[in-house]
């Protein structure tokens, strides 16, 4: 079982940047694809981005493509989300997730507790 803890959220202005971090414990992430999701008030959880176990494949939702970048450091058991050009509609709780396998198509199994990101206009 993987335990995930997100950090780096906060209150920023539109156009600003934030970097979220996800620290994993309990097992190595080296064989698992990882992803970032978010849940905005009154909306369903949505997947934003995913990265394969070796970092060779990535996926981005249209809503964040070109603005957000996912990365990972398997040696440190860490995953990151660099968010640039933030918009008020990016306001949400952001969650890190670990899958059951190395592919970005693997089923998501473990979730962090989330970190709040608030973007003011």
């Amino acid at each position: 079982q993987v335990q995930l803890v997100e950090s780096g959220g906060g209150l920023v202005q539109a156009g600003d940047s934030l970097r979220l971090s996800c620290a994993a414990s309990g097992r190595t992430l080296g064989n698992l694809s990882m992803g970032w999701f978010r849940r905005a008030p009154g909306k369903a959880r949505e997947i934003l981005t995913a990265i394969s176990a070796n970092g060779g494949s990535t996926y981005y939702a249209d809503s964040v493509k070109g603005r957000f970048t996912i990365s990972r450091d398997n040696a440190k058991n860490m995953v990151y989300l660099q968010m640039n050009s933030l918009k008020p509609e990016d306001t949400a709780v952001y969650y890190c997730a670990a899958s059951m396998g190395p592919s970005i198509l693997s089923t998501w199994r473990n979730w962090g507790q989330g970190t709040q990101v608030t973007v003011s206009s």
Side-chain angles (χ1 to χ4, degrees):
Q1 192 79 344
V2 180
Q3 289 79 47
L4 304 171
V5 178
E6 303 94 337
S7 61
L11 173 63
V12 297
Q13 293 186 330
D16 285 351
S17 298
L18 271 178
R19 188 194 195 204
L20 304 184
S21 298
C22 174
S25 61
R27 65 166 289 179
T28 179
L29 296 182
N31 294 323
L32 303 177
S33 63
M34 300 292 296
W36 286 94
F37 292 69
R38 71 185 177 192
R39 186 190 298 272
K43 295 186 178 181
R45 184 176 61 196
E46 63 170 326
I47 183 170
L48 302 177
T49 179
I51 186 168
S52 61
N54 64 6
S57 297
T58 56
Y59 161 81
Y60 292 95
D62 288 343
S63 57
V64 303
K65 196 174 296 182
R67 300 189 298 125
F68 290 11
T69 302
I70 190 171
S71 62
R72 63 190 299 160
D73 186 335
N74 288 344
K76 296 182 178 179
N77 246 22
M78 296 287 295
V79 181
Y80 306 97
L81 181 64
Q82 178 66 43
M83 305 186 296
N84 298 328
S85 302
L86 284 162
K87 305 174 182 179
E89 51 263 44
D90 293 319
T91 295
V93 178
Y94 284 69
Y95 299 90
C96 175
S99 74
M100 298 178 66
S103 166
I104 58 175
L105 300 178
S106 300
T107 302
W108 301 102
R109 177 169 66 179
N110 299 106
W111 304 83
Q113 84 291 348
T115 185
Q116 176 70 45
V117 173
T118 302
V119 185
S120 64
S121 57

